[in-house]
Amino acid sequence: MGQKKTTKTLKISRAFGYKHSKAQHLVELVLFFPFLIGIIGLLTEIAYGLNTGIELNSALNRAVGIVSSAQKTDSTTQNTIREEIQNNTYDILVTRKVPYANTLKVETLEVDDFLVSIATYNYTYAFKLVNMFFSAVPEKFYFKSVSIANKSLFKPNSYNINNNSLTNDFSAYNQAGLNNLEAGAQNLYNNYKNKWNKDHEDIWDDYVDEIKQEQENNSNQTGDGA
């Protein structure tokens, strides 16, 4: 009697466990599938957004390096430098296939002896399926990147030689021909070596004196305040 009951129970469990399992699994898959796609899309969008933030930082630093090494004259203004940094950053983002590059904005400001470049960029969240069910992701990701460079790198670096003596030396070496070019260049270097060394020493001494004077002024102000 017990054996028959066990067999009957087993048949019933098999009937409900196997004959209806495929349909049950299909229904579960249909119900869970949108959430699965939503999770995958959510993670993909977050990863892609974070990657664009990294690309922004890399592009800004690269653009600052390009502009700092470019030729600049006395007419080059800070606004011109800002525009060059923004244009180069934009071109790098476009080259690297970063979307929404037109949202890029670059501002520059001078802080002591440094030029600070601040770039902002907006990445629009494209996968909307998750937000249809519940608000989980903002519509936009806002990224900001900062690059700091020495202000002296952006000063004029193109000059005209107005030294008549130096111009005459170059003209004489040019007229002498290529055979004497190496010897002429060595002589030219020797002639101006001492002058350059002296100029560098004077610049360094002036800088040291300026720092000492600032330290003395700060010490005097501190003593007066005490």
Side-chain angles (χ1 to χ4, degrees), residues 39-103:
I39 293 173
I40 294 175
L42 174 64
L43 296 177
T44 302
E45 286 286 352
I46 293 176
Y48 202 76
L50 294 177
N51 181 70
T52 55
I54 296 173
E55 291 287 356
L56 172 65
N57 184 65
S58 176
L60 177 63
N61 284 288
R62 177 59 181 160
V64 170
I66 293 174
V67 175
S68 65
S69 61
Q71 183 178 10
K72 288 174 285 295
T73 62
D74 293 332
S75 60
T76 303
T77 62
Q78 183 175 346
N79 188 50
T80 303
I81 294 174
R82 183 196 62 78
E83 291 179 355
E84 291 179 356
I85 293 176
Q86 173 156 340
N87 293 336
N88 280 277
T89 305
Y90 174 82
D91 292 340
I92 293 172
L93 291 178
V94 171
T95 302
R96 296 179 179 178
K97 309 298 182 183
V98 176
Y100 312 111
N102 58 338
T103 63

Side-chain angles (χ1 to χ4, degrees), residues 153-204:
L153 297 174
F154 302 91
K155 291 183 178 180
N157 54 9
S158 178
Y159 303 96
N160 294 323
I161 298 177
N162 297 322
N163 190 310
N164 294 330
S165 177
L166 182 60
T167 304
N168 293 334
D169 288 339
F170 274 113
S171 300
Y173 296 142
N174 183 42
Q175 294 174 2
L178 296 177
N179 293 332
N180 297 326
L181 182 59
E182 183 176 355
Q186 185 63 40
N187 292 333
L188 180 64
Y189 172 75
N190 293 332
N191 291 337
Y192 285 90
K193 180 179 180 180
N194 294 331
K195 182 180 182 305
W196 290 335
N197 289 337
K198 184 65 170 59
D199 291 342
H200 290 160
E201 290 177 359
D202 293 341
I203 293 173
W204 175 254

